[in-house]
């Protein structure tokens, strides 16, 4: 009777299969190497992109607050020190507080009523809302007036017909609906 150790047999088969695969397929090593390199590249790109974006964000943020001073063509200081953020604030504030023609909104040429650009835009928005609301209210009032006149004319016509004809019609008896 043969005495076979099943565990040793399994290990021997696995060892033989591994030896065969490695011997017969030299490309297996290069395929594994390529796959590992590909995965490392993805991880590197992801992390590098995050670090690059963080560095750019930091550089932009600090650039807006970094002070500088304008210079003349000869390199001499021209005016006080400032920052990009302060200059943007100055431009925006100047834009909204600039005097413009109250009717056209264009920069003032010295003639006509003058207001700030902010006042002009607020006035235009309010005037548009007011016009739209007035148009809507006028339409509603006109409709109510029309309905009121229709009802009043119907009552007057009913009264006149009742005085003229002393006969009760089907409408008077409520058997037929009135057309008005």
């Amino acid at each position: 009777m043969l005495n076979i150790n099943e565990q040793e047999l399994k290990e021997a088969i696995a060892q033989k299969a591994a030896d065969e695969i490695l011997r017969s397929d030299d490309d297996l090593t290069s395929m594994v190497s390529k796959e590992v390199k590909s995965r490392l590249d993805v991880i590197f790109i992801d992390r590098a992109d995050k670090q690059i974006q963080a560095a750019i964000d930091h550089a932009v943020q600090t650039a807006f607050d970094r002070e500088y001073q304008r210079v003349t063509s000869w390199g001499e200081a021209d005016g006080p020190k400032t920052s990009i953020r302060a200059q943007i604030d100055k431009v925006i504030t100047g834009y909204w507080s600039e005097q413009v023609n109250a009717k056209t909104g264009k920069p003032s040429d010295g003639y006509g009523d003058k207001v700030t650009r902010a006042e002009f835009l607020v006035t235009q928005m309010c005037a548009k809302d007011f016009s739209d609301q007035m148009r809507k209210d006028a339409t509603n009032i006109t409709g109510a007036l029309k309905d009121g006149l229709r009802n009043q004319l119907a009552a007057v016509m009913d009264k006149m017909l009742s005085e003229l004809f002393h006969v009760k019609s089907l409408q008077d008896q409520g058997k037929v609906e009135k057309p008005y």
Side-chain angles (χ1 to χ4, degrees):
M1 183 160 175
L2 289 171
N3 195 4
I4 299 174
N5 184 343
E6 191 175 326
Q7 183 63 29
E8 287 177 3
L9 184 61
K10 285 181 183 178
E11 288 175 9
I13 291 171
Q15 183 69 32
K16 181 76 172 159
D19 289 344
E20 271 306 307
I21 289 172
L22 291 175
R23 242 182 278 128
S24 65
D25 193 2
D26 292 333
D27 290 337
L28 182 62
T29 305
S30 67
M31 287 172 40
V32 170
S33 176
K34 284 179 186 176
E35 183 62 25
V36 169
K37 183 182 180 319
S38 167
R39 290 184 184 190
L40 286 175
D41 287 347
V42 168
I43 292 170
F44 174 78
I45 289 170
D46 183 47
R47 288 187 182 171
D49 282 346
K50 287 178 183 175
Q51 288 182 354
I52 290 169
Q53 189 59 46
I56 289 171
D57 291 345
H58 178 71
V60 168
Q61 185 63 35
T62 57
F64 276 108
D65 295 323
R66 189 178 306 130
E67 284 192 342
Y68 69 92
Q69 188 172 19
R70 293 183 180 180
V71 293
T72 64
S73 56
W74 291 281
E76 297 171 353
D78 182 24
K81 288 186 176 183
T82 188
S83 67
I84 293 173
R85 189 176 307 280
Q87 288 299 316
I88 290 172
D89 185 48
K90 184 178 172 183
V91 168
I92 290 172
T93 303
Y95 176 81
W96 288 110
S97 61
E98 181 181 10
Q99 295 288 312
V100 297
N101 184 303
K103 293 179 182 172
T104 64
K106 294 182 179 177
S108 179
D109 56 4
Y111 299 104
D113 294 335
K114 293 182 251 178
V115 294
T116 64
R117 182 171 278 118
E119 290 171 327
F120 173 78
L121 288 175
V122 168
T123 303
Q124 292 298 311
M125 288 187 292
C126 290
K128 173 112 175 74
D129 289 345
F130 181 75
S131 283
D132 291 346
Q133 189 61 41
M134 284 298 290
R135 187 176 298 110
K136 188 176 179 181
D137 289 344
T139 302
N140 291 341
I141 290 169
T142 304
L145 178 63
K146 182 178 177 183
D147 290 342
L149 285 173
R150 181 178 284 133
N151 291 337
Q152 191 174 3
L153 282 172
V156 169
M157 188 168 70
D158 280 346
K159 183 179 175 190
M160 286 173 55
L161 288 172
S162 293
E163 289 173 359
L164 186 59
F165 299 103
H166 297 289
V167 176
K168 291 225 175 218
S169 70
L170 291 175
Q171 287 181 4
D172 293 336
Q173 297 172 22
K175 295 180 180 177
V176 177
E177 189 177 318
K178 293 183 179 183
Y180 48 86

